[in-house]
Amino acid sequence: MESHTVQSEQAATVESQNASPNPKHAQVSKEAAEAAVPRDEVLENFRRMIVLGSPYATGTLPLPPSDFVLFYTTEAGETRSLDLAQASVEQLEQLADACAPATFGRGQQDVLDESYRRAGKMDSSQFTTRIVPERTELLDVVRDELLEGEQSKRLIICELYKLNIYGENAFFKAHIDTPRGTNMFGSLVVIFPTQHEGGNLIFRTDGQEFNFDAAAALKTVTEPSIAYATFFSDIEHEVAVVTTGKRVSLTFNLYFGDIEPGISVSPPTATPASYDAFCGAVEAMLNNDDVFPNGITLAFPMRHVYPVKLSDNREYLSHVHKILKGPDAMVHSVFETLGFQPRVYMFYHMRGFGGQVKFFIRRPLVFPPWASQVEVSEELVREWGGIVVRGSGPDEDRPLGWPRSRPDEEVYWVSPPKIALEKQTFLAYGNQACMGYAYRSLYIVVRIGPAGKRMEFKTWV
Ligand SMILES: O=C(O)CCC(=O)C(=O)O
Ligand SMILES: [Fe+2]
């Protein structure tokens, strides 16, 4: 078998595919040309409907006085306590002294780099708090404001992770939270009302920024309260510089508790409004014989990234449909409800040995440690249930070992494929290295049959 260089799941060049500039595709594009106007309209319509709901929720919440009491042990084995609703400067100094400098994950390694993260941290084994999100309204916030539709009724496991303390000039630059399991979907941060200024939590999605000034929010409340932020862990966030005082926070990891094999989960659905609109648009497309008269394979780049276990395993992506978030859940759910077979795939664009090939598969290509190349063939891709995508290159522009055994499939990107996660440098930074799990950019692919026989094509064969 020939080996080739794989350009990972990158896809920037794939955009040109829809334009089909190659004259060899002329005969293929004849019907495409006929249906060109409605097709573009349909895809544009879909694009407009697949919007990111708010991937974070923030606010303040009053809690009983005892919930502000923190017990912790020092390195010398001494046990101390303080009331974080009225902590003195000295008490906060002592707490900071009992913390270790916070490291963070760069790739699969934990590093200390104070130009990226300057804060103190304490592991959950070293302190106790009475705050149990399941016993407060915090979990309702996660359910009602972060999750949508059916998802909000699912079993959620909330795991206390760390205590962080930020003194003057401390911060944590832009990062995403490292997945600690294939079922982890979110993070919850609780900020105590200790005297401090700055340390805003800043979220960025889709080029938009949201700035949560927890310190200011806490000053507006009369009862002892905490500030909170809950968000999908793959959303970029940072803690801005603390200008005065000490900011103390707790972090929790949020998992779906029901994705283990054997537990049946109703597929996630989205908010009725966006769901109904998108469902209506898909139905209109199916009922219009002039749109995609010969059927179509649609690829939806997902708006979120998802945790996978780093192994070459046939079950590699089988959990993902159970942890889809927001708009991704909506796309999957609408097609599934209508009787189609949406499937989650990875996408590869491989170049090398005289050509290039693009394909979807449901398991990762594993690079042998001794080479930057990987062995894969068309046969293997098909055996794994993959889809070889019609490329932008001519027929001859095909890598060795990739004879065309059957026609490649024309795939339409509903929106441009995402730039590979691995290429976005800030995303290489997690809040702590975690061996074995990583986020991946993934795609929902669905095959739609020709007019009159829309349900005929199965995505998974
Ligand atoms: O302390 C905070 O507000 C959040 C810190 C954070 O983002 C993290 O620990 O991953
Ligand atoms: Fe974080």
Side-chain angles (χ1 to χ4, degrees):
M1 196 194 300
E2 295 290 332
S3 60
H4 308 281
T5 305
V6 168
Q7 295 268 322
S8 85
E9 301 113 287
Q10 79 79 42
T13 56
V14 182
E15 259 179 275
S16 61
Q17 173 184 337
N18 286 356
S20 212
N22 176 8
K24 287 217 173 219
H25 291 168
Q27 77 272 35
V28 180
S29 302
K30 193 165 156 281
E31 300 125 14
E34 279 163 21
V37 177
R39 165 181 288 180
D40 289 349
E41 273 172 21
V42 166
L43 296 185
E44 177 53 34
N45 200 19
F46 284 178
R47 260 193 296 279
R48 268 190 280 115
M49 289 181 178
I50 305 168
V51 289
L52 213 54
S54 184
Y56 40 71
T58 58
T60 57
L61 180 71
L63 291 177
S66 60
D67 279 11
F68 293 86
V69 178
L70 183 88
F71 288 88
Y72 65 96
T73 50
T74 63
E75 232 183 315
E78 202 185 326
T79 302
R80 293 207 187 117
S81 73
L82 77 164
D83 179 352
L84 287 164
Q86 43 198 5
S88 68
V89 173
E90 293 75 41
Q91 283 176 318
L92 290 171
E93 282 295 344
Q94 287 182 337
L95 176 64
D97 288 345
C99 287
T103 52
F104 63 94
R106 187 182 274 154
Q108 292 282 308
Q109 269 185 346
D110 238 1
V111 295
L112 180 67
D113 175 349
E114 294 217 322
S115 69
Y116 210 82
R117 182 181 196 180
R118 184 183 302 158
K121 65 110 196 195
M122 195 177 264
D123 291 338
S124 57
S125 55
Q126 211 188 320
F127 68 91
T128 54
T129 168
R130 287 180 56 103
I131 299 178
V132 178
E134 286 92 330
R135 289 199 225 126
T136 69
E137 281 162 51
L138 285 169
L139 214 64
D140 299 329
V141 172
V142 173
R143 290 187 187 284
D144 300 344
E145 296 184 41
L146 191 64
L147 302 179
E148 298 170 292
E150 286 297 308
Q151 257 186 341
S152 56
K153 298 183 203 140
R154 294 176 62 176
L155 180 65
I156 295 170
I157 295 169
C158 188
E159 172 194 67
L160 177 61
Y161 188 53
K162 281 190 198 316
L163 176 143
N164 292 317
I165 182 161
Y166 302 75
E168 222 169 278
N169 296 322
F171 58 86
F172 190 178
K173 284 193 180 165
H175 67 282
I176 55 175
D177 291 346
T178 318
R180 259 156 260 286
T182 51
N183 55 343
M184 178 167 153
F185 67 90
S187 304
L188 169 68
V189 179
V190 164
I191 301 139
F192 288 101
T194 55
Q195 195 284 315
H196 71 280
E197 272 168 38
N200 298 17
L201 258 171
I202 303 169
F203 297 96
R204 286 188 200 90
T205 46
D206 273 355
Q208 301 220 11
E209 197 172 282
F210 175 74
N211 193 320
F212 178 49
D213 187 345
L218 285 168
K219 287 195 181 113
T220 64
V221 294
T222 45
E223 291 168 274
S225 302
I226 49 111
Y228 62 80
T230 181
F231 48 95
F232 291 129
S233 341
D234 63 304
I235 295 297
E236 182 192 336
H237 57 281
E238 74 174 80
V239 181
V241 176
V242 170
T243 50
T244 60
K246 290 223 172 359
R247 176 188 187 275
V248 180
S249 64
L250 298 179
T251 53
F252 296 83
N253 296 324
L254 302 171
Y255 304 85
F256 283 125
D258 56 5
I259 79 154
E260 296 311 317
I263 302 180
S264 73
V265 195
S266 46
T269 57
T271 46
S274 57
Y275 183 94
D276 289 351
F278 183 63
C279 195
V282 173
E283 279 181 311
M285 170 193 81
L286 299 173
N287 294 334
N288 185 344
D289 289 354
D290 295 333
V291 185
F292 312 124
N294 291 333
I296 180 130
T297 302
L298 295 175
F300 295 84
M302 293 217 233
R303 303 297 299 270
H304 288 277
V305 290
Y306 291 93
V308 294
K309 201 169 163 120
L310 294 174
S311 62
D312 174 19
N313 183 324
R314 270 174 197 277
E315 300 303 312
Y316 192 69
L317 297 180
S318 59
H319 64 287
V320 177
H321 73 280
K322 300 180 191 174
I323 53 164
L324 294 178
K325 307 167 200 168
D328 304 329
M330 175 184 80
V331 170
H332 193 276
S333 168
V334 162
F335 281 104
E336 188 152 80
T337 309
L338 292 172
F340 292 92
Q341 272 192 327
R343 303 295 297 194
V344 175
Y345 281 94
M346 308 182 79
F347 178 70
Y348 286 92
H349 182 176
M350 201 176 80
R351 302 165 214 263
F353 295 101
Q356 56 174 313
V357 65
K358 296 164 187 172
F359 53 89
F360 288 100
I361 47 173
R362 278 177 58 82
R363 57 196 287 179
L365 294 179
V366 174
F367 294 83
W370 59 89
S372 62
Q373 296 181 351
V374 71
E375 300 223 318
V376 66
S377 68
E378 170 146 357
E379 219 179 354
L380 211 50
V381 167
R382 296 213 192 273
E383 190 187 308
W384 291 342
I387 296 173
V388 180
V389 175
R390 184 176 296 156
S392 49
D395 280 11
E396 311 80 69
D397 184 16
R398 193 69 174 198
L400 292 170
W402 286 77
R404 186 173 270 107
S405 55
R406 46 178 141 145
D408 298 342
E409 192 159 327
E410 193 169 12
V411 173
Y412 277 81
W413 296 98
V414 174
S415 49
K418 273 195 184 175
I419 305 300
L421 186 58
E422 295 72 11
K423 299 234 166 97
Q424 301 179 14
T425 43
F426 79 85
L427 287 177
Y429 299 102
N431 54 355
Q432 193 179 1
C434 180
M435 296 301 285
Y437 299 98
Y439 287 119
R440 288 285 173 259
S441 297
L442 300 170
Y443 301 82
I444 293 174
V445 177
V446 59
R447 287 195 180 116
I448 291 163
K453 292 182 267 181
R454 295 296 198 192
M455 309 300 300
E456 201 162 82
F457 289 6
K458 294 288 169 221
T459 312
W460 187 240
V461 268

